[in-house]
Amino acid sequence: MEAVKQGSATVGVKSSSHAVLVALKRASSELAAHQKKIMPIDKHIAVSISGLTADARVLSRFMRTECLNEQFAHNQALSLNKLMERVGAKMQIATQRYDKRPYGVGLLLAGFDEDGPHIYQTCPSANYYDCQAMAIGARSQSARTYLERHLDEFRSSTREELIRHALRALRDTLPNDVELTNKNCSIAIVGKGEDLSIYDDDDVNPYLEGLDQEERRGGAGGARDAQPPAAPTAAAEEDDAASAPPPPPTDEQPQGDSMETD
Amino acid sequence: MAVPGVCLQDFPLWSGGPTPGHFYNFPGNSKMNTGKSHTMYPSTSGTSVVGLVYDGGVMLAADSLGSYGSLARFRDVKRLFKVTDKAALACSGDIADYQFIREVIEQKVRDDVCGGYTRELNAGALHCWLTRVLYNRRSRFDPLWLECVVAGYKDDEPFLGYVDKIGTAFEAKEVATGFGLHFAVPMIREAREKKQNLSCDEARKLLTECLKVLYYRDCRAHFKYQLADITPEGVTIHDDLNLKKETNWEVANYISGYE
């Protein structure tokens, strides 16, 4: 569980037609590239990780083979609920056998199947949760507060509005001096009539446009005075007093961490 | 062994040599025949199955005979069964193999229900799965001696597919196995030439005609049959249908030797 809390934040949101994941990529040093956080599983499923990357890759590989097997044996895309059951069963073994350790990674899955869009969260305890919206990782409480506040707007959001919501929630997890850039941000979206697309680097630019100017709410407090532009969503303005409490100092990512958490 | 689940296979004491409790093939010999030989012929078998897609659904028919060679042994064998509300399966060929695959498929459906899955097995998925299973068995020289017809719906579209014991699989608007391929399919195609979309009643009449012709001409056919009708609402199976009364054997009197 600690590993998940130390990984960098990732947010997932769904509307009635799309499911979106956004993730904050972390670079272990200035020299290193930002670690990939969103992994495609199938044409209709993507997963975003928070925690031990190596464990996440094992689970991703498992999920990919399950999807492929379904395609081969049944000529259809694997339903998300079936996939989650299998992942849950696999993770649970590791929590009960004496010679194994739990998978130290939290996953946010976004997928679209015959029942519509889905967001699922898993933890190292092998529990999985079907969510309307969720954020995990470092300082994700601020993101969750944003998501709770805007929960009613998600269902009817358009594709672009949904991505914006997710990015705003993600931005709330950042300290004041850090901004979302195309280097540290990844977006994945899948939905009705739309196969999975993952946006990195320059492809992220159109979605980040104008986000800087918008006023930050909650999270690391906002002394910014910039007026928010005519935001597409009817976001409530009365929440300055109801900002989330600043995150406790212990949440800061420790330097020189030997475990590769991302 | 103090620790359960740990056996010599996990921690081999030596490699490439004999394993206690198992047969050992000495190097240099060609692969020893393990002595197993698989059944390569059907015993109790069913004859043709006929299916067609009509305007508003799919229809399947099969007679209820289990022949023991040329003996009409079991006259109430149900060769048609409902898998889910979206799929029905009928098999010709070995009856034992059909019963086996029916159990497996029923368990598959049960597993889905127990897992709480919302999507039930549809005809397209069943057809694909059956192809993989039958082809795999054939490749192991242990075939399930079946010719199956899968009928139902796939993604709101009517689906009709054929799978063979060697793994041949295809989808078509009219499908039949065994003698049905030679008698029934041309009849259906002729009817379709006159009228592209058949209604439910026309389809039923056509299928009954096909089965009647098969009863006249196929030595291993019988007059008792089952008919399955799959519509978007679900699967209806009509059992214990009888076409004996509609058949006319007057011509038999003119055959010399018939008393």
Side-chain angles (χ1 to χ4, degrees), chain B residues 190-208:
Chain B
E190 204 188 347
R192 254 200 239 283
E193 244 166 66
K194 299 201 192 91
K195 185 177 179 198
Q196 264 291 1
N197 292 329
L198 301 163
S199 73
C200 180
D201 291 323
E202 285 168 354
R204 183 146 184 184
K205 251 181 59 189
L206 181 58
L207 263 188
T208 328

Side-chain angles (χ1 to χ4, degrees), chain A residues 221-235:
Chain A
R224 293 162 140 241
D225 289 290
Q227 292 296 327
T233 57

Side-chain angles (χ1 to χ4, degrees), chain B residues 186-255:
Chain B
M187 285 173 68
I188 300 175
R189 288 195 180 142
E190 204 188 347
R192 254 200 239 283
E193 244 166 66
K194 299 201 192 91
K195 185 177 179 198
Q196 264 291 1
N197 292 329
L198 301 163
S199 73
C200 180
D201 291 323
E202 285 168 354
R204 183 146 184 184
K205 251 181 59 189
L206 181 58
L207 263 188
T208 328
E209 263 312 298
C210 290
L211 282 187
K212 210 197 304 178
V213 168
L214 283 169
Y215 175 54
Y216 281 133
R217 292 295 176 177
D218 181 3
C219 292
R220 309 276 183 266
H222 198 57
F223 48 74
K224 284 193 21 212
Y225 67 103
Q226 283 175 289
L227 191 117
D229 187 11
I230 304 108
T231 57
E233 283 81 52
V235 177
T236 333
I237 301 202
H238 305 277
D239 271 331
D240 296 326
L241 301 168
N242 195 323
L243 48 75
K244 187 171 185 189
K245 293 195 192 67
E246 293 149 43
T247 56
N248 185 341
W249 289 101
E250 287 296 307
V251 71
N253 291 312
Y254 301 109
I255 310 292

